[in-house]
Amino acid sequence: MSSTSQKHRNFVAEPMGEKPVTELAGVGEVLGKRLEVAGFDKAYTVLGQFLVLKKDKELFQEWLKDTCNANSKQSADCYQCLKDWCDEFL
Amino acid sequence: MADQVDSMSDAELRTKLAEHGFPIMPITASTRKLLVKKLKLVLDNKTKPRTSVDNKADTRRSLARYSSGEESDLDTTTNAKEKRGRRATTGGAMLPPAANKTRRPPPKKGSPAKRDSDKGSESDEEKPAVRTHEEVETVTTRTIKRTYAANDQDDYETGSDSDVDADKKTSSPFRSNSRSSDYISSTLPSVDVGVGISPPKTSVFSRASIIPTNYSSSYSSTLSSSDNLNSIRSRLGLTSSLADRPTIIPSSSYTSNYSTNTYQPSTSTIDEVESPYLSNFTRRLSALKSDPPRSTSFLDRDTNNGSTVLPRRSFVTGINRSDIGDYKSATDKKFLKNNLVSLALVVLVALFFFCLFFMYIVKKNDITSVADDQNSVIPICQLHIPGNRPGINCVPKEQVSYAKSLLKLIHPELTARIAAYKCGQPGSLPYLTEREIIDIASAKAETSDVSQCRTDLNNLQVLLINNPRWGLKVVQLSNLYTKDAEFTTISATDLIVQQRAKGTVAISLTDPSTPLSCLFINTLYSAGSSLIIIALLTLLGLGLQRAYKYYVLYQKRKSEEIYSMVEQIIDVISQETEDSGEPYISVDHVRDTLILPQNREKMASVWDAAVKFIQRNESRVRMEVQSVDGEDCRVWRWISPHSSPKRSASWQGQAFETQEGSVNNLVVSPTPCLKIRHMFDKNDNNSLLRVKIQDAILEKCDSHCNILHIDIDRTSGCVYVKCASPTDAGVVYRSLHGWWYEGRLITVKYLRLERYMQRFPASPSAGPFLAPKRHSRRDD
């Protein structure tokens, strides 16, 4: 991925704190709502799932697809976002 | 099989996934669904025998494609870019996981349709055999699939295609282990074909040599891990050696051979994971070699699959261990054989020295050989020499043998006596008196002829004096009646005659040796006693040191108490004189203020010392006698010019602005807890530091705020303050932050309440607020 979105950069710039799930790159309003229905209302819950899946790209993307019908781009963006954040802050 | 996955427990699921090369991850409520789905997909792909090798390699290569794995049947030659595009479109329209179950059957139905061709029947035959071994279900299905592929002539071409595909893959190295092993098994058929089709090759190389080289080279292109490669290579060396055997080996013995040999070094999990493939590989080798009719070999292999993989543990525990035992004993034998000569040498040397020692002992005690020595000086009595007197300075020739036999008779007794004496037995003496010798001689010889014994003894004495090298000596006892073993050696025959009349002549050994056991015991005794003495001395030293330490500590504590008492006294004097307006205060009053009634008797010495100290060394306080309420009593007069030197010394002004609107002022105070740094020196050992700090803070904040708890941490030099509310904390923050306190600039930070409670669990959360000590004292 040559360039990243502004949203991605914003998210990776600082600790996630109590940010809502929609702050994640690749997760917009629609996906955010679906994730909230599934119980993932904060970004850190998604991070938790990401970590439980051992940062495995394929499994995480698969999970995101299953949970909120994300498409490949969205899930890849979200994965990259969380991965960069982890590289930075974990 | 897919139905079983749903009802699997978490642990089973995990092991299954591990078998298929997935990373082991926690199975939670949220991940379980996903993992179950994955496993099903993998198992579905497994159970489809009709899918070509190429398909399998393709679908397994990327886990991301499992979602679209159903479509992989349709198109295998499309490149990766097209696939990604397709996945993106299908992924968007994908239904939730529940819908997947309904979607899966169509490809299943599609595969039996294909299976109707000529090879389909064989796969049907295999299936029941697989089902019987449920523990190794997945493994066996795998191997069957592979063996099937090996015998399937149509798949060879596509198998070589999968070669190229697999080289292109770029995935995480973790998973590449299992995948590449898959890949190996899938490429094997093509290698087999090469061997089988082109006979010239086999003439140049042996079969076994071709297969491993192809195998390992293709393997190394995909797998970077070198140790894996090494383990594989070592195994290949094994299998090639097996394959070199010219005789036809039944497949059953072949596989069992394999499992006993290759499981021996399997310690890593990777080895265990990979072992099924390798067994598969060797089995195919065996199949190539033996080349029995196909149908029977399948049956054989099926049973072998079950039996070789199932008792995997038993091989490891049973045969393997016995192998190790054999190996150990073999190495032991080898060691013995190699070192036999050196061992024998050592034993010989030891034996030699032992013999030497033994001979020395024997030789020393052997009096007979000494006495019968030809070199002995024997003064024979000759009649024509006038000075010769038998029994005094010469021995009659015929009586020499008698004297010698007497010597031999008494020698053991004498040795025993000396030994007993040396060992410190009470009542034993290191000599034999004449009387005793005669008693022994008459008893032993059973002759009552005492005079004959007497003569022999006299002759013996003459001989002993003349032959000091016999090891015996004639001695003169200094006192016959005491038990003291004091004697002097007689060296002249004339003296004997004089002493004989007194009866104080005895025979002793010139060089008495102590027996080994006695020597040992004596050494032990002396060592033990010296040890005890050393221990006692050490204990004494330790005790002294301890006592000294305690004394020093006691002195230190005492002086500390005195100093703190002095400080308190001065504090009280300065405060009281200031507060009450009187310039002096009664000594007894100060004492009663400072010391509780129950401690007054105990603290009397400290108090007296403090009073003396103040009298001698305190310039600000003068002791005088005043009449208080009509009674003369000693008083302390505070003569310091400053009314309250301490207060002015503690808070020395503000370094920077903390009031409203300044940069250092926080608009809201987030927590009710504060952490104050640099308020005191870390090396400050004042026991009343906490009270002092508390007073200083309370004084500074005055009554503006409600402080619940103040404590100090001496190691970090921090003061912790807990207020009733964040607003109060804000007040404290503003009134303390950036102030100089006793020459130190203090800084205040907010602290989260949880952290504060973690540190001081006992701190009160409500209740009475802290008040300065001074005020409370005045209230009393």
Side-chain angles (χ1 to χ4, degrees), chain B residues 311-373:
Chain B
R312 190 198 282 185
R313 301 286 164 209
S314 69
F315 272 126
V316 172
T317 55
I319 293 175
N320 198 13
R321 254 180 215 167
S322 66
D323 282 356
I324 287 171
D326 287 348
Y327 176 71
K328 255 187 184 172
S329 60
T331 49
D332 281 356
K333 273 176 194 166
K334 207 175 173 188
F335 177 79
L336 270 178
K337 198 177 173 186
N338 285 345
N339 298 317
L340 195 64
V341 177
S342 48
L343 272 177
L345 272 177
V346 169
V347 167
L348 273 179
V349 169
L351 212 64
F352 172 73
F353 277 108
F354 181 75
C355 287
L356 216 63
F357 179 73
F358 187 74
M359 281 164 70
Y360 173 74
I361 295 281
V362 167
K363 189 85 178 171
K364 202 176 175 191
N365 291 336
D366 193 8
I367 190 67
T368 53
S369 60
V370 177
D372 291 338
D373 197 354

Side-chain angles (χ1 to χ4, degrees), chain B residues 536-550:
Chain B
L536 279 176
L537 283 176
T538 317
L539 275 180
L540 197 71
L542 280 178
L544 277 176
Q545 195 203 7
R546 183 70 58 84
Y548 178 71
K549 258 187 184 172
Y550 182 77

